[in-house]
Amino acid sequence: MNQQGADRPPVKSSERTLELLEALAAGGPRGLVELSRELDIPKSSLHGLLRTMSQRGWVETDPAGTRFGLGVRALQVGASYLDSDDAIGLVNAALDALAARFGETVHLGRLDGPNVVYIAKRESAHPLRLFSAIGRRLPAHATALGKALLAARADDEVDRLLDWPLAALTPHTLTTPDALHAELARIREAGHAEDREENTEGIMCLAVAVPLRSPAVDAISVSVPLARLRDTTVAEIVADLHRHATQLRAAAHLLP
């Protein structure tokens, strides 16, 4: 959109539709009253919107018709996004190799405003593992993926990007500007990010930014329960993440 278009007010009906989809994606199925209160949309208007979206397959209801959730059309569009993303296709081999070597959960994450979104995943081979799902959004400051990508930006840009005050997902999450800036400086020097129980207690995650664009918007990570973590494993994972990032940098010219 050009600047002239960006200055125009949004179309109200379209904005409400998108707000509803985003709310259902973030919070799961809800009732009409709850959605009306959360989105500040009159129940009569919201009911009509839900009826139309249900007829088009974007929204589904429970058997009683009182709770509303995303429909199969939303899955179709999300899957199409993943299938058409050239970066995912380029990184898939690296994700496979990391998962095969370490047997742990591997993610490709993308920065989206103050959050990082999982856009590809390889499951751990172990019963004890990190719970996650493609499409899940997490605060960037509380994840190794997000911090690796924040570190690719200047501190003033990071401050504009994040939602302050920062949320604490666990007692270990960094929430103050001084603590986060110091951590990002450490990441820039080390070349990789660490999340030791900042997102999920009992889990450590190691990540590096994938230099397909500048600044990077994608990062790859390996998540390991602390019960299985050894110092030698950390060094091996970091070395392998750097190796794959270097290979992907060399292949970046293949992207449109």
Side-chain angles (χ1 to χ4, degrees):
M1 181 182 293
N2 60 31
Q3 186 60 44
Q4 182 180 1
D7 291 339
R8 295 173 182 169
V11 177
K12 189 172 185 179
S13 59
S14 299
E15 188 171 38
R16 284 180 168 178
T17 301
L18 295 173
E19 287 175 350
L20 176 58
L21 287 172
E22 290 170 356
L24 293 175
R30 263 111 75 220
L32 178 66
V33 173
E34 185 180 356
L35 285 168
S36 175
R37 185 184 307 114
E38 178 182 340
L39 300 175
D40 195 24
I41 299 175
K43 286 189 290 184
S44 58
S45 300
L46 183 58
H47 187 269
L49 181 59
L50 286 165
R51 184 177 63 250
T52 300
M53 295 176 69
S54 179
Q55 291 169 349
R56 296 293 299 267
W58 286 94
V59 169
E60 294 179 352
T61 62
D62 65 355
T66 59
R67 288 174 63 79
F68 303 88
L70 289 178
V72 70
R73 187 59 58 86
L75 172 62
Q76 179 184 358
V77 171
S80 178
Y81 173 82
L82 296 176
D83 289 342
S84 63
D85 191 289
D86 296 305
I88 297 176
L90 198 61
V91 177
N92 272 335
L95 301 182
D96 291 338
L98 287 164
R101 178 174 180 188
F102 299 107
E104 302 292 353
T105 304
V106 177
H107 286 112
L108 170 64
R110 178 162 296 168
L111 194 65
D112 181 28
N115 302 303
V116 66
V117 182
Y118 295 142
I119 59 173
K121 176 187 177 183
R122 300 296 184 269
E123 288 283 6
S124 169
H126 305 280
L128 177 61
R129 55 189 167 185
L130 172 69
F131 168 78
S132 65
I134 293 174
R136 187 183 184 194
R137 298 167 63 87
L138 291 166
H141 71 275
T143 66
L145 287 165
K147 289 192 295 181
L149 293 167
L150 293 177
R153 290 150 174 81
D155 283 346
D156 58 346
E157 183 180 354
V158 170
D159 290 346
R160 291 192 300 271
L161 194 64
L162 298 182
D163 289 333
W164 302 90
L166 300 178
L169 274 60
T170 77
H172 308 280
T173 308
L174 303 178
T175 58
T176 66
D178 288 347
L180 182 61
H181 291 167
E183 174 71 354
L184 297 181
R186 186 204 65 76
I187 293 168
R188 294 179 189 114
E189 182 175 353
H192 73 276
E194 298 180 1
D195 150 22
R196 189 178 289 269
E197 300 186 277
E198 294 168 52
N199 170 32
T200 303
E201 293 194 73
I203 299 289
M204 181 175 185
C205 185
L206 301 152
V208 298
V210 177
L212 299 177
R213 299 178 179 89
S214 182
V217 296
D218 298 324
I220 52 177
S221 70
V222 178
S223 299
V224 188
L226 292 178
R228 285 200 297 271
L229 195 64
R230 302 291 181 270
D231 289 342
T232 54
T233 308
V234 171
E236 290 170 0
I237 291 174
V238 169
D240 228 27
L241 286 169
H242 279 299
R243 181 171 63 83
H244 287 294
T246 299
Q247 292 172 349
L248 289 167
R249 181 195 298 274
H253 68 280
L254 297 175
L255 292 177

